Amino acid sequence: MRKKFPTSAELLHQLQTHGKLTLRRSLLLVGLLSLPTIAAQLSYFIMQFIDASMVGHLSTTASASIGLISPVTWLFSGLCTALTVGFSVQMAQRFGAQDDKEARNIMKQGLVVATLFSIVLTVITIALAFVLPTWLGGAAEIRPGSTAYLTFFGASILAIQLTSMGSSMIQSSGNMKLPGAVSVIMCLCDVFFNSLLIFPTTTYTFLGMSIEWPGANMGVAGASLGTGLAELVGAAIYLWYMLARSPLLKRRSGEHVHFNRSTIVTAFKISAPVAIENAVTNSAQVVSTRIIAPLGTMAIAANSFAVTAESICYEPGFGIGTASTTIVGQSIGAKQRDMAKRFAWISIALGMAIMSLGGILMFIFAPQMIGILSPDPKIIEAGSTALRIGAIAEPFFAASIVGSAAIRGAGDTLASSLFNAGTIWIIRVPLAIILCPLMGINGYWLACVIQWWICGILFLWRVKSEVWLKKVKWAN
């Protein structure tokens, strides 16, 4: 009889009980945990791609209004992700130590803190929506769309935060399949809501029958609201599963949330460098948009489409990185130092291989990828050239994405933040200021390539140095 392959749960249990996994089993575990998260990240990319494509077929002005404000939405989304890391890393380590009860308590504390944090971010975002488009240098015709998009985004931050929390907390328990499934559901919901909200009521003819599809004709605002509603669906599913269905996370009779000062302080110690990194990194993206804005509406739209198209290449890297954070965190919780080191390198190698292949495909099919997003020949030409420049750096970009995620599993977030944020401000922004007036958006993308190369090399050095393991005093 053919030998049955072990499941990810069986392999994680072997790791948690201090078993030594062979290289073959280690590779299998990384693969089993990575595939669902890669699927989840790709479905998130598809959601972004759908939004950009739908708006892109409205007008160049509509596309530019989103492109102008996108770095600001990344900034606030990044802060939500940072808070998530502080609690999910602790949960992964508790699961690795087979302390499920404490992991559940950390989950409950995280959900309460996340809700309060999201309310504060919502107020700030909506207030900024009315001033930022002007400060960013957007032309008068694109500012109203930018304001509307950012306002609806701000209203959906709680859903975004709970979706991020739910996905990461469930993954920290070793369940990678549900987040993948939920991402697909959110993608389908995004298409449905966008089709209702972006366009006016339209009559379609199919097999001789006329079908009237209702539409609110909200344009750019409809794209933001549609995505927010899709996030709300995802948040609801995650909360239901965590609190009512998950074998490891669901509520137990007699277990109530106990706010532990040590847990919350540790969460903020882990999250703070990540939050600072995201704030500094995405602030640099905002400044970069300010650098690109004088190049005109077409340049803003082309750059935005190139960023969206490139995400098909790096989303798998983030998926592998998520799996790496979970496995490294559980290895440390199980006091398996050698396993933590092995899983970090396997994850990095896998990420570099997949993103290198993605970079090759992106280079070849760049015009077709941009063409799906916009029918404008000038945007296709400018966007595809920028995309091909970016493709050169994908292996090093992968090293920075996965390397950063791996050492975060050990709680080493400070070095990660310094490398990512530091190289953007010290290398990318100054180079963009110099190169954009000379080369247009191609100058910005060349600055990105140089920054990704250097950042990737720094992370490879950091992982090799093993400083991130030495900081975990109880790992030996």
Side-chain angles (χ1 to χ4, degrees), residues 158-171:
L158 176 58
I160 293 170
Q161 177 70 84
L162 292 177
T163 298
S164 174
M165 276 281 185
S167 176
S168 294
M169 287 176 169
I170 290 169
Q171 288 171 359

Side-chain angles (χ1 to χ4, degrees), residues 23 80 219 237 292 299 331:
L23 178 59
C80 292
I237 295 173
I292 293 170
S331 297

Side-chain angles (χ1 to χ4, degrees), residues 196-214:
L196 291 175
L197 296 171
I198 294 176
F199 305 107
T201 298
T202 305
T203 300
Y204 298 96
T205 301
F206 180 72
L207 297 177
M209 296 183 296
S210 294
I211 301 173
E212 186 175 84
W213 188 258

Side-chain angles (χ1 to χ4, degrees), residues 280-293:
V280 173
T281 298
N282 287 301
S283 296
Q285 297 281 16
V286 173
V287 172
S288 298
T289 301
R290 185 68 181 84
I291 295 169
I292 293 170

Side-chain angles (χ1 to χ4, degrees), residues 209-433:
M209 296 183 296
S210 294
I211 301 173
E212 186 175 84
W213 188 258
N217 197 26
M218 294 177 65
V220 171
S224 184
L225 178 57
T227 301
L229 291 173
E231 293 278 359
L232 184 61
V233 171
I237 295 173
Y238 282 132
L239 287 174
W240 166 77
Y241 182 80
M242 285 192 296
L243 299 177
R245 298 293 298 175
S246 171
L248 293 174
L249 297 173
K250 68 180 180 181
R251 291 174 297 171
R252 265 67 168 178
S253 177
E255 282 189 10
H256 303 287
V257 58
H258 297 290
F259 286 95
N260 186 319
R261 183 175 179 274
S262 175
T263 297
I264 296 175
V265 169
T266 300
F268 279 101
K269 282 183 178 179
I270 294 173
S271 296
V274 181
I276 293 170
E277 173 194 341
N278 279 302
V280 173
T281 298
N282 287 301
S283 296
Q285 297 281 16
V286 173
V287 172
S288 298
T289 301
R290 185 68 181 84
I291 295 169
I292 293 170
L295 300 175
T297 298
M298 192 277 291
I300 295 173
N303 181 69
S304 177
F305 287 141
V307 170
T308 299
E310 192 217 4
S311 63
I312 194 174
C313 192
Y314 64 68
E315 292 295 355
F318 282 111
I320 296 168
T322 300
S324 179
T325 300
T326 298
I327 304 172
V328 170
Q330 293 214 13
S331 297
I332 288 174
K335 301 183 180 180
Q336 295 257 38
R337 176 191 175 97
D338 291 341
M339 286 288 100
K341 181 170 61 175
R342 172 185 284 183
F343 283 125
W345 282 115
I346 289 175
S347 301
I348 291 170
L350 180 61
M352 292 182 73
I354 291 178
M355 285 183 59
S356 295
L357 176 60
I360 293 171
L361 295 175
M362 188 169 71
F363 189 93
I364 296 171
F365 297 107
Q368 289 79 10
M369 294 172 71
I370 302 297
I372 294 173
L373 297 170
S374 173
D376 190 319
K378 291 183 179 179
I379 289 180
I380 293 173
E381 181 182 1
S384 57
T385 301
L387 202 56
R388 283 172 167 162
I389 293 172
I392 300 171
E394 293 305 314
F396 293 99
F397 194 14
S400 65
I401 291 172
V402 185
S404 174
I407 64 177
R408 281 177 182 169
D412 185 16
T413 54
L414 180 58
S416 168
S417 301
L418 289 174
F419 291 166
N420 282 318
T423 55
I424 283 185
W425 275 101
I426 295 172
I427 298 169
R428 184 191 297 187
V429 171
L431 284 177
I433 292 172

